[in-house]
Amino acid sequence: MSKDIIQFPKNFLWGTSTSAYQIEGGITNDWSEWETSSERKKKLQKQGRDLEEYICGKACDSYNRYEEDLNMVASLNCNAYRMGVEWARIEPEEGKFNEAEIEHYKKVLDEAKKKNLKIVLTLWHWTNPVWLANKGGWTNKEVVNYFTRYVSTVIKELGDRVDYWVTLNEPMVHVSNGYLTGEFPPNKRNYFQSRKVLNNLAKAHNKTHKLIHQFYPDSWVSITKLTNDFQPARKWCLLEKGLAKLFHYNWNEKFLRRIKDHLDYIGVDYYFHDRIIRRPPFKKNKNKQVTDMGWEIYPRGIYNTLKYLSKYKKPLIILENGLADAQDDKRSDFIRNHLYYVHRAIQEGVDVQGYFYWSLLDNFEWAEGFWPKFGLYEVDRNTFERKPRESAKIYARICRSGKLEI
Ligand code: IFM
């Protein structure tokens, strides 16, 4: 049977994403403090877990192996790479900037440029310097000034090497996991603090957007918005319909409304499809096919998400989409099927300008530790040796041709 071929636009960005803390190694920040705290260790011990697996430590040693990582991005035929800089490295003490670390990031970015990669740079990906955490993190009323002071240094020192900016990664996750469910540092369950944090994050984004534009008027600045596809489990049930709308508003819409006048594009992260039911825990997915983390695989959700976000009339760039799949038996189809729906949205007029797979390599998956394997490249935890998975070859073919056979 002959296959259909779908073609992506000519200047489409093909990339992969990483974040500083999850891959670099050797960082001291609020997360590293929490991972090694006695409360955390006790909790993990009680659950019978291997503590080493939950301490980021050397991560993937990418701080030292960045050339190898960038070679991997190039071997995937990507024309773009999303990476992060770590606030705690650049400003380890309040108001004191570390020149050597800034030089390090210059080298990384220059190496990426040699490979003709467009750079998407994330300025904050949930982690904070310890001095800031000690002052109350994002609840502190000065935090917006602290953040923009740090960003000013990044703009001045690294700005000419950046093509697309991400001010904040998935801010609602920090609000929710850090201040409502307490799963992430600073492990609070406090609604009032969560409101404060949300407000400060939104203000920080808006101010940073203006700041970057003062130096680079044509720059493209956004956040990454983790956008879930919420649907009522039963379309006819008014209560479930209402609840789905409420979840959608709270999670997808609220933050964007606060920053909508300060976006040059929208960075889209898509992982979750949630069928909403009327009783706690409010979600009942069909879960016919799930990732190693139990997340339902639902490619059509990326289409729904892109269609929804198109109402903001901004270019959309998918900056994260991926799965934990240690056996690598779902990843190739996962990518193909999601791309099929991305293309469908493009055909219907949605301005989608790129797709970045999360992640380039297996890395530290936050509170879950090292066991979830998101990488196109597998990483040996002892030697840090990187090896491409089969799916990396499939993705490399797609990135080279800009085509997908279906
Ligand atoms: O690993 C994370 C990333 O840091 C932010 N987005 C979701 C990914 C998978 O959970």
Side-chain angles (χ1 to χ4, degrees), residues 19 22 125-126 169-170 226 269 271-272 293 295 320 358 363-366 374:
S19 87
Q22 291 174 274
H125 199 120
W126 301 340
N169 177 73
E170 301 175 357
L226 177 66
D269 291 1
Y271 294 91
F272 299 103
M293 295 179 84
W295 301 353
E320 282 187 36
W358 180 275
N363 58 56
F364 183 70
E365 178 57 17
W366 306 108
F374 276 89

